[in-house]
Amino acid sequence: MTAPAIAARDTAPAPDPVLPRMLTGDRPTGPLHLGHLFGTLQNRVRLQDMGVELFVIDADYQVLTDRDVADQLPAHMDGLIADYLAAGIDPDSATIFAHSAVPALNQLLLPFLSLVSVPELNRNPTVKDEIAHSRQSAVSGLMLTYPVHQAADILFCKANLVPVGQDQLPHLEIARLIARRFNERFGQPVFPVPDALLSAAPLLLGTDGTKMSKSRGNTIPLSATADETARLIRGAKTDSERDISYDPERRPAVSSLVLLAALCLGRDPREVAADIGDGGAAALKTVVTTAVNDLLAPIRARRAEYARDLGYVRQVLRDGNERANQIAAATLAEVQGVMGMRY
Ligand code: ATP
Ligand code: MG
């Protein structure tokens, strides 16, 4: 499938004064999964369709926070972009780009690092959790400071809305702190203070009952086949109680499956649980599998078409990189200006 060439965009870098601008992103560590769809992707598409300008960063440098080498980056980048397009992100209005392609964005990290203390970085609970799951034996400087890098991701385009999962909230607090401190220290309102946008499923659990994460082998990928999906859900953790209920505090694994079915069906999770009643885990898994496969069928069909047209997928990224570079250059010039770096 060859989509029409994307028109060159030379819009002024300043955000619309009325509509918010959103920035969010993903690490190219594997295919997007149901946690992404319900945690952030659906919100990205919904707001994009309401006219909010969307920036999506593929955070390739941040792959190195928890591993020595970033494997298969080109394939993972292709896959992410195919997932976005299949899920409804419109490359004619959204800007999809890679960290490594936008040097001016990365340079914002330096002034931003000067605005946070080491104890503030050490306190971040998401970083602590990721250190616990890290494949590295020692904590790298990148791991500790990547939330500051994320602040640069958000603030380079002056985004004020960030649709994310719950794990990102501590990082967003750092971005808010940096925006405020920068504006105060240099006496100019350069950056907006961005808000997080959480969904109804800010922390979808994976098949092992912990946060569904690309790197933890517990996902249901958007691109899985119907049969793979059935197999993954069959192997999902549940508990020994026969009666199915929605009780996230007491029964996190079962409740996450109930929530998954409810999200796919657009229903209340308590009603879904009541319908299954004493059918037990097997009945629950049948309901979840059918609901997931029905919802994903059209997304998978579109994704397969994009996967056959990688020339188009890569052009989307090149166009996004170009636009992100224009905006990053303008923001960096403004930052250097207020910092007195005019030579
Ligand atoms: P990795 O294991 O490589 O860190 P990941 O699955 O955690 O991968 P990220 O690329 O780190 O995915 O996260 C991208 C976005 O998706 C973030 O906004 C994050 O909050 C959100 N997200 C990731 N996993 C979930 C989940 N299980 N539930 C809800 N949102 C999620
Ligand atoms: Mg993650």
Side-chain angles (χ1 to χ4, degrees), residues 222-272:
L222 302 183
S223 52
T225 64
D227 285 350
E228 282 162 0
T229 303
R231 185 180 54 76
L232 290 167
I233 293 173
R234 243 192 333 270
K237 185 176 169 183
T238 51
D239 59 33
S240 55
E241 279 181 52
R242 178 139 194 100
D243 202 41
I244 298 302
S245 58
Y246 182 65
D247 184 351
E249 289 291 312
R250 199 174 61 81
R251 305 181 71 186
V254 162
S255 300
S256 195
L257 284 171
V258 171
L259 177 64
L260 190 49
L263 290 165
C264 292
L265 297 166
R267 294 186 61 197
D268 185 288
R270 281 165 200 82
E271 286 175 13
V272 171

Side-chain angles (χ1 to χ4, degrees), residues 24-30 56-78 80-81 84 96-103 105-106 136 142-143 146 149-150 153 214-215 317 321 324-325:
T24 183
D26 310 282
R27 299 201 306 163
T29 47
V56 184
I57 184 161
D58 289 340
D60 48 1
Y61 276 130
Q62 287 172 13
V63 175
L64 297 171
T65 53
D66 62 357
R67 65 202 77 193
D68 294 340
V69 176
D71 288 325
Q72 304 174 52
L73 275 178
H76 288 323
M77 293 294 279
D78 288 343
L80 281 186
I81 296 165
Y84 298 149
I96 300 170
F97 65 101
H99 255 153
S100 56
V102 188
L105 180 161
N106 290 291
Q136 294 182 306
L142 182 62
M143 173 64 103
Y146 91 88
H149 199 199
Q150 287 200 355
D153 301 343
K214 286 185 242 98
S215 308
L317 184 63
N321 287 343
N325 269 299

Side-chain angles (χ1 to χ4, degrees), residues 24-41 44 59 62-63 65-67 80 130 135 146 150 162-169 198-199 201-206 210-219:
T24 183
D26 310 282
R27 299 201 306 163
T29 47
L32 294 184
H33 51 67
L34 288 168
H36 295 117
L37 184 68
F38 294 117
T40 156
L41 255 180
R44 299 180 196 181
Q62 287 172 13
V63 175
T65 53
D66 62 357
R67 65 202 77 193
L80 281 186
E130 288 176 356
R135 302 175 193 177
Y146 91 88
Q150 287 200 355
V162 191
V164 281
Q166 188 169 295
D167 60 312
Q168 294 296 312
L169 292 183
L198 288 182
S199 74
L203 183 58
L204 197 74
L205 302 184
T210 76
K211 174 188 169 299
M212 190 178 286
S213 291
K214 286 185 242 98
S215 308
R216 296 187 191 174
N218 65 357
T219 72

